[in-house]
Amino acid sequence: MKAVVQRVKSASVRVNQEIVGAIDHGLLVLLGISVNDTPKQVLQLSRKVANLRIFADQNAPMNIDVKAVGGDVLVVSQFTLHAQTKKGNRPSFIEAAAGEKAEPLYLEFIRCLQLETGRTIQTGRFGADMSVALVNDGPVTIILDTDQY
């Protein structure tokens, strides 16, 4: 499971010109689910995101988590995080989970993240063609991969 986590001043996602999810100060999480991912990785990654200390306090520019700043979270599914580009110039997505496997794990990630943060999680629309807008704060962008821990 991979996530690109961005500290944002604001973020939103549109489907067919309709805003389906939007936040102010907080985290935008682009989530990619692989063919090998399990509920164990969902729990592991949701805890990591919720507790990621990338917000400033009086002591350091990256010292507290999204909960401590009262930030919001927007989660957007993004299978392209599992693109394989080793051969040629056209990406292969054989490592990305098919929708029937990925969607339940995506929904479980949102549920776990909501429990971890105590906040309502904003989302995109799974499987839809989405337009994502954001104002990155810092910029701060962290890449998380459950295969690496």
Side-chain angles (χ1 to χ4, degrees):
M1 189 168 289
K2 294 182 181 180
V4 175
V5 180
Q6 298 182 58
R7 186 178 74 187
V8 297
K9 292 184 180 186
S10 64
S12 64
V13 61
R14 291 177 182 267
V15 176
N16 298 323
Q17 303 303 317
E18 173 194 355
I19 295 177
V20 296
I23 63 168
D24 288 322
H25 184 66
L27 299 174
L28 169 62
V29 179
L30 305 175
L31 182 68
I33 299 166
S34 81
V35 294
N36 298 316
D37 288 332
T38 67
K40 179 182 176 184
Q41 280 94 1
V42 169
L43 184 58
Q44 183 181 33
L45 189 60
S46 65
R47 286 181 176 159
K48 179 68 82 172
V49 169
N51 294 296
L52 199 59
R53 294 170 44 186
I54 60 173
F55 292 90
D57 68 5
Q58 65 277 10
N59 299 316
M62 290 195 193
N63 200 40
I64 58 175
D65 60 37
V66 69
K67 300 172 288 189
V69 296
D72 294 314
V73 181
L74 172 61
V75 177
V76 178
S77 63
Q78 189 168 348
F79 75 94
T80 59
L81 292 178
H82 289 285
Q84 300 294 312
T85 58
K86 189 173 184 177
K87 295 180 181 178
N89 295 317
R90 184 177 181 182
S92 167
F93 300 104
I94 61 171
E95 292 296 316
E100 58 272 5
K101 176 179 181 173
E103 188 172 18
L105 292 174
Y106 166 78
L107 294 172
E108 182 64 7
F109 176 82
I110 293 163
R111 188 188 75 77
C112 289
L113 192 57
Q114 187 164 319
L115 289 173
E116 290 291 329
T117 62
R119 313 259 315 163
T120 300
I121 306 299
Q122 293 292 304
T123 67
R125 190 169 293 151
F126 187 88
D129 185 14
M130 297 175 274
S131 297
V132 179
L134 68 128
V135 177
N136 195 310
D137 182 12
V140 174
T141 301
I142 308 291
I143 300 170
L144 302 173
D145 185 338
T146 56
D147 287 343
Q148 295 181 355
Y149 51 87

